[in-house]
Amino acid sequence: MRTHRRGNIAHIGSERALGYTTFPERKRAVSPESRYQARRISIACEARGLVLHQLVGDVQSYSGPDLERPGLTHALDLLARGEASCLVVTGLDRLSRSAANLGTVIEWLEEVGARLVVIDIDLDTSTDEGQLAARALVRVGALERRSGGVRLEQRPPRPERRERSSARGRPAVADLPLLQRRIATMRASGMTLQAIADTLNSEGVPTIRGGAKWRPSSVQAATGYKRPSHHPD
């Protein structure tokens, strides 16, 4: 997952938005395509008076369940917690290439009252036309689920505040693989160790060892990196 926080300037009275992107293979995460998506999202937010709170993304080659992509799950979690109220994407295919799953995501956004902006087709659910278009996509998705036998359990779990720690503040063991995968994907997307540490600290995420502050070294350790041992000759 790729995530990038936009500045620290307060915009009083402005609606905060999340930008969601998908980018190529990890070796090419910082690519002209991903930069182009980010630029279009930024321009679209500015044109609508939105404050771009974060850019979040996933690699296009993610092999897990479509609706459990780390970046998408993180974006939905932020919307559920009210940290932003709008999701901006360049195209519907960034959310999902499956009509059934796309309808599920749009339906979930409607349930939490989140606004959706899709740049390519000029869809904005803050307008009557945008709401009609979104409902049509939800109906198409429901029809595909029924006719194609898509498993209903693919619906993304409703994001909730996780119990991040035990009495000592250590992350729950079940959360560690997801956290490690998230860090690895952020690193692969081109974020520096310091940028990842700053993001995790701003979100209040405990370190792998249960500490309160992430540092570049703890981020590196979370990815499984170990310093090589030096033995005397």
Side-chain angles (χ1 to χ4, degrees), residues 112-197:
V112 297
R115 176 181 176 185
L116 174 65
V117 172
V118 184
I119 299 170
D120 285 348
I121 60 176
D122 197 25
L123 185 152
D124 187 339
T125 58
S126 69
T127 67
D128 292 338
E129 295 83 357
Q131 289 181 16
L132 287 172
R135 292 189 188 114
L137 290 167
V138 170
R139 287 195 294 270
V140 170
L143 287 172
E144 180 169 305
R145 283 196 297 270
R146 286 197 293 268
S147 63
V150 177
R151 292 167 50 190
L152 294 179
E153 60 265 32
Q154 283 187 317
R155 182 182 181 83
R158 194 179 296 269
E160 298 176 352
R161 289 185 180 274
R162 296 184 183 90
E163 291 296 326
R164 289 193 224 161
S165 61
S166 63
R168 292 187 175 181
R170 187 179 178 85
V173 174
D175 289 342
L176 294 181
L178 179 60
L179 177 59
Q180 289 173 320
R181 186 164 67 247
R182 179 186 174 195
I183 291 172
T185 308
M186 291 164 73
R187 182 64 173 149
S189 74
M191 291 181 69
T192 65
L193 295 173
Q194 185 63 60
I196 296 172

Side-chain angles (χ1 to χ4, degrees), residues 1 18-20 54-58 69-81 83-84 86-87 95 108-109 114 159:
M1 182 191 75
L18 300 175
Y20 178 74
Q54 281 190 30
L55 279 171
V56 182
D58 286 301
R69 284 168 281 160
L72 179 61
T73 300
H74 180 57
L76 296 180
D77 185 58
L78 292 175
L79 291 166
R81 288 185 287 166
E83 294 190 22
C86 179
L87 185 66
L95 292 176
W108 188 92
L109 292 171

